[in-house]
Amino acid sequence: MPYGEVVTDRYRTLMLLRHAKSDYPAGVADHQRPLAARGEREARLAGDWLRAHTPAVDAVLCSTATRTRQTFARTRIEAPVTYVDRLYDATPGAVIREINGVDPEVETLLVIGHEPAMSSVALGLATPDGSNKTAAEHISTKFPTSAIAVLRTAEPWEQLTLSSAALVTFHVPR
């Protein structure tokens, strides 16, 4: 084998899931806000859609907020989860740095977070050519609660940067 970088034809799938619809109970801090009844239903629908339309999830990065934890639980996705405080109120760069630290053996990653980071990460990672332009238009208009952006890349997680993944699809489970 020649010296230098290893070439791989293995693709990685990244799913960005915004938490499901949350409730606003009086006196509850933002970080502790739970899901609303509608959010519980939509999180289950998001999990059903992920299982039906994407590869099996190998790992999950999830914000520590109550609503993101509850969203993950209700998706019924069976995968190792890492709760990351930095994903709460995160900048797009912070989200990408967390993705860059994922184990290289992970092929399918689910990130559960918040707006406006989820839409910014999806659009920022999407290549201008090779991405689903309709999906990008929908994301740029609105990334509603429980929405899922699916991206695909040949880059190792540690090398994922802006414009290095194809935006495959965008789905809002309702």
Side-chain angles (χ1 to χ4, degrees):
M1 174 175 264
Y3 294 98
E5 292 196 32
V6 176
V7 177
T8 179
D9 60 358
R10 186 173 83 176
Y11 283 93
R12 284 157 197 79
T13 301
L14 172 64
M15 286 98 56
L16 302 171
L17 169 62
R18 182 179 177 194
H19 65 79
K21 181 71 176 166
S22 59
D23 202 357
Y24 293 86
V28 175
D30 184 72
H31 194 270
Q32 279 73 44
R33 287 192 298 118
L35 291 181
R38 180 181 120 194
E40 291 179 11
R41 181 180 64 80
E42 290 173 357
R44 284 191 299 274
L45 292 172
D48 291 346
W49 187 87
L50 286 166
R51 278 187 295 285
H53 295 94
T54 64
V57 176
D58 297 321
V60 179
L61 295 177
C62 183
S63 160
T64 56
T66 300
R67 59 192 177 274
T68 52
R69 288 172 174 264
Q70 290 178 341
T71 297
F72 174 61
R74 280 159 183 81
T75 64
R76 300 180 320 275
I77 296 291
E78 304 262 340
V81 60
T82 303
Y83 294 101
V84 183
D85 202 38
R86 287 181 299 275
L87 291 178
Y88 175 73
D89 201 24
T91 64
V95 175
I96 292 170
R97 280 190 296 280
E98 290 301 322
I99 294 168
N100 291 153
V102 169
D103 183 323
E105 295 302 312
V106 169
E107 291 187 21
T108 304
L109 176 65
L110 173 62
V111 178
I112 305 173
H114 309 267
E115 268 298 277
M118 293 292 97
S119 61
S120 295
V121 170
L123 294 173
L125 291 176
T127 57
D129 297 327
S131 286
N132 180 324
K133 294 195 185 334
T134 302
E137 288 171 14
H138 287 303
I139 291 170
S140 66
T141 301
K142 187 173 184 183
F143 201 111
T145 54
S146 70
I148 306 159
V150 180
L151 297 104
R152 191 167 178 228
T153 184
E155 296 296 328
W157 297 122
E158 66 184 16
Q159 294 177 21
L160 194 66
T161 61
L162 297 177
S163 299
S164 65
L167 175 61
V168 177
T169 193
F170 181 64
H171 178 73
V172 181
R174 295 284 190 257

